[in-house]
Amino acid sequence: MTSSPTATSGPAAVPAAIPTPAEVQTAYFEELGPRERSALWAWIGFTTTFVTVRGITYSIHAGDGPFHDVTVGGAHLHHYMWGIGMVSGVGAVAVAGNERARRHPLISAIYGAGLALIVDEFALLLDLKDVYWAKQGRLSVDIGIALTALGGTLLTAVPIIGRLVRDRRRPR
């Protein structure tokens, strides 16, 4: 176990309320195996990408900010295309890469980010046109997916959070 800064010194010292980066890193490696770390990074990639893309997309549709649609020859390139490319690249690493490459956190984060780009425009993949911009239900769908993403991220981080909470409660 690593030592952490304490609120007081002496035999009954209590750990500081906020864990240090070193404590988080120790809990990450000691509480999560390679599969769990991969799942956590995939959820982090998904959640971060989904929230970012929603913000950018709303800004484009509102005409605010520096962002604009990406077009080639007058055709709009939807972001699900980038997601399919990212997931395909991760698949190639899974098929041809060595174990170290497959377990790299960046590969998991790219997988989650690619899935978020695909999920965000799933209606278009089903040929339902650009209906997700209809006011009916779009906000609730966004909130639902965002809460699912955040929930998945938090659930995969439960062992780390539990460890850090136990460390805060344990007298030193």
Side-chain angles (χ1 to χ4, degrees):
M1 180 179 298
T2 62
S3 64
S4 65
T6 56
T8 62
S9 55
V14 177
I18 299 173
T20 66
E23 289 176 301
V24 173
Q25 182 179 20
T26 298
Y28 171 79
F29 284 109
E30 290 181 2
E31 299 297 323
L32 300 179
R35 285 183 181 186
E36 292 83 12
R37 289 193 295 266
S38 292
L40 176 60
W41 281 105
W43 276 111
I44 289 170
F46 184 98
T47 304
T48 303
T49 302
F50 184 81
V51 169
T52 300
V53 166
R54 282 290 86 221
I56 290 170
T57 305
Y58 275 110
S59 133
I60 290 169
H61 279 265
D64 296 334
F67 304 108
H68 58 321
D69 287 333
V70 177
T71 58
V72 173
H76 174 71
L77 298 181
H78 289 276
H79 49 268
Y80 72 79
M81 294 172 53
W82 308 113
I84 291 170
M86 292 164 75
V87 170
S88 297
V90 169
V93 171
V95 170
N98 62 32
E99 189 63 20
R100 184 173 181 205
R102 285 193 292 266
R103 293 280 186 208
H104 196 281
L106 183 60
I107 297 300
S108 299
I110 290 170
Y111 175 75
L115 283 179
L117 294 172
I118 295 167
V119 166
D120 187 59
E121 292 193 319
F122 194 69
L124 294 174
L125 288 171
L126 294 175
D127 198 28
L128 297 178
K129 310 294 181 242
D130 214 348
V131 296
Y132 72 11
W133 279 108
K135 288 188 180 191
Q136 306 86 340
R138 182 61 210 178
L139 181 60
S140 64
V141 170
D142 286 349
I143 291 171
I145 294 173
L147 289 175
T148 299
L150 183 59
T153 303
L154 289 174
L155 284 174
T156 55
V158 161
I160 297 171
I161 296 167
R163 162 71 175 271
L164 295 171
V165 168
R166 285 191 307 276
D167 286 353
R168 311 263 86 46
R169 292 182 180 160
R170 185 177 305 133
R172 303 237 186 247

